[in-house]
Amino acid sequence: MQNRLETLDSILDRLRTSIRKNGLKNSKQREEIISVLYKSGTHLSPEEIASEIKTKDKTTSISSVYRILSFLEKENFITALEADKSGRRYEIAAKDHHDHIICLHCGEITEFVDPEIERLQIKVAHEHNANLISHNMKLFVICQKCQKIKP
Amino acid sequence: MQNRLETLDSILDRLRTSIRKNGLKNSKQREEIISVLYKSGTHLSPEEIASEIKTKDKTTSISSVYRILSFLEKENFITALEADKSGRRYEIAAKDHHDHIICLHCGEITEFVDPEIERLQIKVAHEHNANLISHNMKLFVICQKCQKIKP
DNA sequence: GTATCTGCAAATGCTTTGCACACCC
DNA sequence: GGGTGTGCAAAGCATTTGCAGATAC
């Protein structure tokens, strides 16, 4: 996981501002989900988020988790990642931009940034007369541990 | 679309070899699907493939299309692409390796290769002590046409 | 003949939606 | 108080699977 750019409190402040800006109302569930994602530091599935919140005594429903995740993604508080066929996983957006290395054997997810690749992606888009909005890059690998297990 | 590396007949020959190698039996549906993907030159959804085959009088079922697509992907005759939430799309693998530029506005898919990025991806994997098996890179853009429509 | 392949329909798994009640402002 | 949020259950949608008949070898 990379450096946090922002404290949890600061993110929650921005969340409240965003809620007001959209004419919405506060809810503890939204803050809970941000909190869980911030503290976990990993890439969690909606089910994992729901059960994490449930351990803290709340009876949060999975449908609310999905609804809130959509909102938080739209407002750029979190980002989604499709590591495999099992559905989306989410992580807090308050980190540096990064891409993912995914081990095909154990599923481990590592983050990385290569400034040179980032630069070249913008160049490629321009060469196609297009305006780069975002990108999605996943490197599928066999990690060091799994190379030892399965030589 | 990039240059074909192989004729349709040559691909179908390889398909028959692969079928024998796996102890399976021939079927016109498998050849039909390869044929449709080869001729279309684009990225088709399972539904699109099924309806394309149906126009040619056959009553192919969607479940067979899915089953055959899995087989063809496993055997590297085709490759899958997830352009958006609407599900997977497939294209013939008998082309040079390439990645995709996807317009967020009109959905147009363009193919590209940047040898320098390819090289850097291998380097990044090595720096993480991992063995690069494959990658997935999508550049999400607003294409030239859509920039004019929506300034 | 026997094992694979197919079409159909039902099942699955993730995600979304409709609705009635609960809660925030 | 009126609108927004939630939980629940049901619906959606892409994909997978079980099964009986069809087909390839």
Side-chain angles (χ1 to χ4, degrees), chain B residues 25-26 28 46 63 66-67 70 86-88:
Chain B
K25 295 175 182 178
N26 244 334
K28 31 193 170 315
S63 48
Y66 276 104
R67 266 186 294 237
S70 300
S86 73
R88 293 205 267 281

Side-chain angles (χ1 to χ4, degrees), chain A:
Chain A
M1 195 185 48
Q2 308 197 346
N3 287 335
R4 287 287 157 49
L5 298 176
E6 206 178 353
T7 64
L8 179 54
D9 281 347
S10 161
I11 297 172
L12 293 177
D13 273 352
R14 284 198 295 117
L15 174 63
R16 289 179 201 114
T17 304
S18 160
I19 286 171
R20 268 194 302 277
K21 190 197 71 196
N22 285 278
L24 305 178
K25 295 175 180 176
N26 244 334
S27 89
K28 30 192 170 322
Q29 282 85 343
R30 272 195 282 244
E31 306 201 353
E32 271 295 327
I33 288 179
I34 292 238
S35 202
V36 165
L37 283 171
Y38 186 90
K39 287 172 186 160
S40 89
T42 54
H43 309 76
L44 299 179
S45 69
E47 285 289 352
E48 285 167 351
I49 294 167
S51 65
E52 179 63 25
I53 292 177
K54 275 175 196 153
T55 62
K56 299 177 180 181
D57 102 309
K58 291 246 27 106
T59 52
T60 302
S61 73
I62 188 69
S63 48
S64 294
V65 172
Y66 276 104
R67 266 187 294 239
I68 292 172
L69 288 172
S70 301
F71 170 78
L72 294 177
E73 189 183 8
K74 178 173 71 64
E75 296 290 313
N76 291 316
F77 287 101
I78 61 176
T79 56
L81 167 70
E82 302 223 30
D84 54 34
K85 277 99 224 269
S86 72
R88 293 205 266 280
R89 293 182 160 272
Y90 293 86
E91 62 180 313
I92 208 87
K95 300 194 273 184
D96 292 311
H97 160 73
H98 58 266
D99 295 295
H100 297 97
I101 297 175
I102 301 167
C103 177
L104 288 169
H105 193 248
C106 68
E108 189 193 42
I109 300 172
T110 314
E111 302 173 353
F112 78 98
V113 175
D114 188 294
E116 188 62 12
I117 294 181
E118 303 281 320
R119 195 182 64 71
L120 289 167
Q121 286 172 330
I122 296 170
K123 192 202 70 176
V124 166
H126 276 159
E127 284 169 0
H128 287 76
N129 300 309
N131 212 351
L132 187 65
I133 304 300
S134 65
H135 70 253
N136 180 318
M137 176 166 51
K138 291 176 277 196
L139 304 186
F140 296 103
V141 304
I142 304 297
C143 74
Q144 194 164 30
K145 268 177 293 179
C146 291
Q147 285 172 40
K148 285 173 188 159
I149 293 164
K150 237 187 166 181

Side-chain angles (χ1 to χ4, degrees), chain B residues 71-85:
Chain B
F71 169 77
L72 294 176
E73 188 183 10
K74 179 174 70 65
E75 296 290 311
N76 291 316
F77 287 100
I78 61 176
T79 56
L81 168 70
E82 302 223 28
D84 54 35
K85 277 103 225 270

Side-chain angles (χ1 to χ4, degrees), chain B residues 6-102:
Chain B
E6 206 178 353
T7 62
L8 178 53
D9 281 345
S10 158
I11 296 171
L12 293 178
D13 274 350
R14 283 199 297 116
L15 174 62
R16 289 178 202 117
T17 304
S18 159
I19 286 172
R20 267 193 302 278
K21 190 196 70 195
N22 284 278
L24 305 178
K25 295 175 182 178
N26 244 334
S27 90
K28 31 193 170 315
Q29 282 87 341
R30 273 195 282 244
E31 304 201 353
E32 271 296 327
I33 288 179
I34 292 238
S35 201
V36 164
L37 282 170
Y38 187 90
K39 287 174 185 157
S40 89
T42 55
H43 309 76
L44 300 178
S45 69
E47 284 289 352
E48 285 166 351
I49 294 167
S51 65
E52 179 63 25
I53 292 178
K54 275 175 195 150
T55 61
K56 299 179 178 179
D57 103 308
K58 289 247 29 107
T59 52
T60 301
S61 75
I62 189 69
S63 48
S64 293
V65 171
Y66 276 104
R67 266 186 294 237
I68 292 171
L69 287 172
S70 300
F71 169 77
L72 294 176
E73 188 183 10
K74 179 174 70 65
E75 296 290 311
N76 291 316
F77 287 100
I78 61 176
T79 56
L81 168 70
E82 302 223 28
D84 54 35
K85 277 103 225 270
S86 73
R88 293 205 267 281
R89 294 183 160 270
Y90 292 86
E91 63 180 312
I92 207 88
K95 300 194 272 186
D96 291 312
H97 159 74
H98 58 266
D99 294 295
H100 296 99
I101 297 175
I102 301 167

